Amino acid sequence: MSTEPTGTYLTLADGRPAVRFTRTYDHPVDRVWEFVTEPEELAHWFPSSVEIELREGGTIRFGDDPNMDDSTGRVLAVDAPRHLSFSWGGDELHFDLEELDEKRTRFTLTNVLEAENTAARNGAGWEVCLSSLDEHTRGASTGGPHEGAGAPWQDVYRAYVEAGVPSGAEIPGQDA
């Protein structure tokens, strides 16, 4: 995993802070949609296990994250296979998929933050998760985002902080 941040910190038009990541995958949009919506695919890269009612207003359940309590959220929008957004705690996650051609898809994850000071922490966490997704899309076997995520995560977190991305939020699973 690279320790260089690939996410962008931004302020949305409505004033909310966010971190955004973009990747291009050599898969059709329908396949990338599966990476984002199917529990068995999410298990390869998403930080929690997920059970999702894939409809607007549906419940999404998060569990099995060693650093967080199990929780639920709401599906905010679904436009298969192009867009999914849901709430997770006070944050929102937006997944946008754009078909570039029959075999390639642009994947964009926007984490709309409840609190600005979570940007560096969440950005670093998504780097670990998306690194696992990158490997999975190439057919590599990964243990998911919690396998070996210690030192590389901390290095990329420091890189976000050094780049001036807002920080200071508590880091789950680490001493305060």
Side-chain angles (χ1 to χ4, degrees), residues 25-44:
Y25 293 120
D26 292 329
H27 292 282
V29 70
D30 289 331
R31 178 65 177 123
V32 178
W33 182 251
E34 292 172 354
F35 294 142
V36 172
T37 60
E38 298 293 329
E40 58 276 0
E41 295 293 344
L42 286 159
H44 292 281

Side-chain angles (χ1 to χ4, degrees), residues 64-100:
D64 302 320
D65 183 324
N67 299 311
M68 303 201 44
D69 292 334
D70 292 357
S71 63
T72 60
R74 284 276 167 240
V75 175
L76 304 172
V78 177
D79 181 15
R82 308 269 184 249
H83 177 80
L84 171 66
S85 58
F86 54 82
S87 63
W88 189 13
D91 287 0
E92 292 177 12
L93 297 180
H94 298 254
F95 298 91
D96 292 291
L97 308 180
E98 177 187 353
E99 182 178 69
L100 299 175

